[in-house]
Amino acid sequence: MAYKIAIIVGSLRKDSINRKVARSMCAIRGDNLDCSMVEIGDLPLYNQDLDGSPPEQWVRFRKEVAAADGVLFVSPEYNRGIPGVLKNAIDVGSRPYGQSVFDKKPAAIITASPGSIGGFGANHQIRQVGVFLNMPMMQQPEAYLGHVSEDSFDESGCLKDGPLKELIEKLAHAFHDWVDMIHRSRQLLAEDAAHSSQQAARAKEHA
Ligand SMILES: Cc1cc2nc3c(=O)[nH]c(=O)nc-3n(C[C@H](O)[C@H](O)[C@H](O)COP(=O)(O)O)c2cc1C
């Protein structure tokens, strides 16, 4: 079964290495992940005053995330934290209160940087926010991609063969299995609950 994955990239830069990593993820075949990028560059800054009459860009973003079976965050680290543009998108998707489009969506995180620690700080800040937003976060493999440069990509903008690409392929397989496990478990629980309530209704009829 193919799962729809919304990829949210935390960089607006035209030649973003994180966008290229996201593109590499989309290019992986055979994982039953139907990936599409959800753009965040046009989202007005979140302002609670606008909850009653949201800007059309917020509505578009929320719809696209809501339609997905899972969310993949691919982001740089800015000053050891989450880039503001990504945090804004997460805040937009999380509101109005009680209507978060992230609620219960299985998720995974990739951070990429030319630096050696691969965006570890941003990765864990995204994880912290995702946990609060009730997103089951995949734990392994972790993806702190360090020493990523223009040279890591081929002319089509995807990762060249090598350890980085292998890690992304591993992550794609693991993320498919993670999303599959979460959705199947929920379906089984829902079927169990329906079965139990049917049995309870029958028992009542015959009482
Ligand atoms: C405002 C700013 C802050 C940054 N802070 C960090 C940082 O904390 N850690 C890090 O590894 N790289 C940092 N960098 C470097 C980015 O990792 C690098 O510019 C990277 O290419 C950005 O990702 P992108 O190519 O996807 O846009 C920073 C860059 C900017 C512009």
Side-chain angles (χ1 to χ4, degrees):
M1 151 145 198
Y3 289 105
K4 285 175 72 142
I5 304 300
I7 302 187
I8 303 179
V9 177
S11 170
L12 305 184
R13 204 167 71 84
K14 183 167 54 69
D15 295 321
S16 161
I17 56 174
N18 283 276
R19 183 169 284 268
K20 288 178 184 170
V21 169
R23 195 177 297 144
S24 308
M25 181 85 187
C26 295
I28 292 170
R29 296 275 174 261
D31 282 296
N32 289 326
L33 293 180
D34 173 9
C35 295
S36 51
M37 310 252 194
V38 177
E39 299 303 332
I40 62 173
D42 61 338
L43 298 177
L45 287 178
Y46 179 71
N47 176 347
Q48 201 175 351
D49 291 343
L50 304 181
D51 274 357
S53 53
E56 65 190 43
Q57 299 92 330
W58 291 6
V59 175
R60 187 265 313 154
F61 174 76
R62 288 168 177 163
K63 247 191 214 156
E64 287 181 23
V65 176
D69 300 307
V71 177
L72 175 67
F73 297 99
V74 186
S75 181
E77 172 177 84
Y78 278 3
N79 302 312
R80 295 284 180 265
I82 306 181
V85 69
L86 175 58
K87 184 59 166 56
N88 182 54
I90 295 174
D91 293 341
V92 166
S94 72
R95 290 284 163 147
Y97 183 77
Q99 296 172 41
S100 167
V101 292
F102 295 114
D103 188 48
K104 298 194 178 83
K105 298 255 189 245
I109 307 160
I110 299 172
T111 46
S113 167
S116 56
I117 53 178
F120 177 89
N123 193 302
H124 279 268
Q125 286 192 358
I126 298 167
R127 185 171 296 273
Q128 179 181 328
V129 172
V131 167
F132 173 70
L133 291 175
N134 200 26
M135 306 179 84
M137 281 285 178
M138 189 171 79
Q139 290 161 30
Q140 296 289 342
E142 295 171 297
Y144 318 113
L145 310 186
H147 304 295
V148 182
S149 68
E150 279 309 314
D151 204 37
S152 310
F153 304 95
D154 60 23
E155 19 347 296
S156 69
C158 289
L159 283 164
K160 290 177 182 167
D161 289 343
L164 279 182
K165 188 171 172 186
E166 281 164 25
L167 175 60
I168 292 303
E169 282 171 351
K170 223 189 238 177
L171 188 134
H173 288 295
F175 192 40
H176 170 267
D177 291 351
W178 180 247
V179 174
D180 189 50
M181 183 186 74
I182 304 281
H183 284 284
R184 276 176 197 262
S185 313
R186 283 199 192 126
Q187 198 181 333
L188 287 174
L189 286 171
E191 282 168 15
D192 267 2
H195 184 65
S196 302
S197 63
Q198 270 173 5
Q199 278 189 325
R202 267 195 222 117
K204 216 172 166 187
E205 269 172 30
H206 293 103

